[in-house]
Amino acid sequence: MTLKNRLNPFKNIQEQIDKAANFLSLTPGVREFLKMPMRELSVSIPVKMDDGKIKIFKGFRVQYNDARGPCKGGVRFHPAEDINTIRALASWMTWKCALVDIPFGGAKGGIICNPKELSRNELEKLSRGYIDRIYDLIGPEKDIPAPDVYTNSQVMAWMMDEYSKLRGYNCPGVITGKPLSLGGSQGRHDATARGGVFAVREAAKHLNIDLSSATVAIQGYGNAGSWMAILMRDLFGSKIIAISDSKGGIYCEKGLDPREVLKYKNQTGSVRGFPLAESVSNEELWELKVDIICPAALENCITKENVHKINARVIAELANGPTAPEADEILFNKNIFVIPDFLCNAGGVIVSYFEWVQNLYGYPWGEETVYKRLDKKISWTFQEVLALSIKNKVDMRIAAYMIALTRVVEAMKLRGWIN
Ligand code: NAD
């Protein structure tokens, strides 16, 4: 059983919404509205495989709530994908966009597939086939997909091209996370991690942690996790002592060179076996005594079963939904500071928003502008959440939900959807 299958992340998020709603005077009807997606589409995508046989792939697009603007959210390719995970991810996108105050609602999509088993040709056909199926639902003013687990800028390029062909003209603003030469934004490649690094810097200031001597462990070494490791070392000089991926992990007390580990993973398919490092399992990684631990893989990896073993001072949630609700309370009581996912990983959607704005204007920004504006958004939001959490004596997650729910409810009221 994979980590993500152990619990239903959509149930988790409904529980999180309820917890925060207890601090707001929301009627039962409004609460129910906030806990359900607005629209869901389930699709079947036929792909002619390289051996000539037809294979049918199942996919989804969930539009959770668009009260604050067009829907926004990534597309995930994963063999264990399911509708409840996509619902949960679409819900998190809604709260994330509201929390960092960008004019988007939330959505998410996914295809049940194992991209590691597909040829480039099959992957392209699947990406285009998905867009053919969800074409009516998406558009620069309707719903804007982006990359997520096991999708990348090449997949986004195919998807944007397919949509543009169907429209009959170029529509760069329909997809974000595109390659630079097709209207992508400077700084999008590392935006999720960079936003996480800015959030960690703010947490370190609050907790008096010196990041230049801090130790860091990273679970998941894809786009988010690898850039997190690289930037923590490059910007602050922090020591990355452990890294894992789906096949297992590595540990080195003296510190790992994250760029060398990435090179090794790209060559061999895993971080495991990296020269001069000891092996650790994904479970052992949680037990390491570190200043900062960063889940950057899938949902539900910190549960009531392993939360007692966590020895970190800060959990920087780059992954969506890594902590189950019952573990949250235990972490709060243990005084472990959690930077909640929809704040910690918001850098990705913030720069996606910048990309969309640049596409609509047809005027690209420089890297410095992107980084400066990203830093401002994350730092400002972090301080707002921190102040509310201190005021109400609640954890950062509940405080973040209180802000996000209030903004979405206000938009729904102004539109006349609710009283
Ligand atoms: P990715 O596909 O680039 O990398 C995922 C990594 O997780 C891989 O290294 C994989 O080996 C590892 N992994 C998978 N299962 C694992 C397991 N059971 N234990 C340990 N490692 C495991 O994906 P990504 O884009 O880096 O996304 C990672 C997380 O960050 C996801 O939760 C995603 O929703 C979230 N996120 C990503 C972005 C983004 O812009 N990429 C934005 C916001 C949130």
Side-chain angles (χ1 to χ4, degrees), residues 2-4 76-78 89 93 96 108 116 147-151 188-189 191-193 219-226 244-248 265 269 271 282 295-299 301 317-322 341 345-349 352:
T2 61
L3 285 173
K4 67 181 295 191
R76 198 178 258 205
F77 288 179
H78 198 281
L89 292 163
M93 285 306 296
K96 195 185 301 185
K108 204 79 180 191
K116 291 178 188 166
D148 197 82
V149 174
Y150 297 149
T151 54
R188 179 61 183 89
H189 62 292
T192 302
Q219 186 226 23
Y221 214 54
N223 174 285
S226 61
S244 74
D245 61 29
S246 57
K247 296 186 178 139
K265 182 180 194 283
V271 300
N282 265 299
L298 298 172
E299 306 78 37
C301 46
E317 293 184 341
L318 269 196
N320 283 304
D341 46 8
N345 69 28
V349 76
S352 269

Side-chain angles (χ1 to χ4, degrees), residues 74-306:
V75 181
R76 198 178 258 205
F77 288 179
H78 198 281
E81 207 48 273
D82 65 58
I83 186 68
N84 279 321
T85 309
I86 300 294
R87 283 178 185 138
L89 292 163
S91 180
W92 274 310
M93 285 306 296
T94 308
W95 318 124
K96 195 185 301 185
C97 294
L99 178 67
V100 296
D101 206 7
I102 55 179
F104 285 141
K108 204 79 180 191
I111 301 178
I112 304 171
C113 68
N114 187 351
K116 291 178 188 166
E117 288 171 0
L118 298 175
S119 70
R120 185 182 162 89
N121 179 42
E122 291 164 345
L123 198 60
E124 176 176 352
K125 285 185 189 163
L126 181 62
S127 307
R128 290 185 184 277
Y130 179 67
I131 293 300
D132 296 345
R133 288 289 182 268
I134 67 164
Y135 169 75
D136 284 337
L137 278 193
I138 61 171
E141 282 90 25
K142 279 178 164 176
D143 181 358
I144 306 119
D148 197 82
V149 174
Y150 297 149
T151 54
N152 56 23
S153 59
Q154 175 60 75
V155 171
M156 296 305 113
W158 290 324
M159 289 184 172
M160 183 277 282
D161 183 68
E162 188 66 16
Y163 182 84
S164 297
K165 272 188 189 157
L166 292 167
R167 294 296 293 191
Y169 54 89
N170 253 307
C171 299
V174 67
I175 302 270
T176 59
K178 301 179 295 296
L180 266 181
S181 52
L182 285 179
S185 177
Q186 293 284 354
R188 179 61 183 89
H189 62 292
D190 66 6
T192 302
R194 195 173 287 269
V197 164
F198 293 147
V200 168
R201 182 197 62 205
E202 296 302 301
K205 270 192 236 162
H206 169 61
L207 301 166
N208 278 325
I209 297 174
D210 176 5
L211 288 179
S212 68
S213 58
T215 49
V216 181
I218 309 263
Q219 186 226 23
Y221 214 54
N223 174 285
S226 61
W227 277 111
M228 186 76 180
I230 291 167
L231 293 173
M232 285 300 294
R233 202 173 86 134
D234 284 3
L235 299 183
F236 308 126
S238 307
K239 196 154 73 166
I240 315 302
I241 64 162
I243 293 174
S244 74
D245 61 29
S246 57
K247 296 186 178 139
I250 51 172
Y251 171 81
C252 178
E253 202 185 337
K254 286 191 193 145
L256 296 154
D257 179 336
R259 282 197 168 79
E260 288 302 315
V261 177
L262 185 61
K263 223 187 275 171
Y264 181 83
K265 182 180 194 283
N266 289 339
Q267 281 161 4
T268 65
S270 172
V271 300
R272 281 193 56 179
F274 183 72
L276 303 177
E278 293 169 42
S279 291
V280 282
S281 68
N282 265 299
E283 277 310 309
E284 286 163 346
L285 187 101
W286 299 114
E287 300 169 27
L288 295 174
K289 191 161 171 43
V290 284
D291 294 299
I292 295 144
I293 195 158
C294 180
L298 298 172
E299 306 78 37
N300 283 325
C301 46
I302 303 176
T303 62
K304 65 175 188 300
E305 275 83 43
N306 66 2

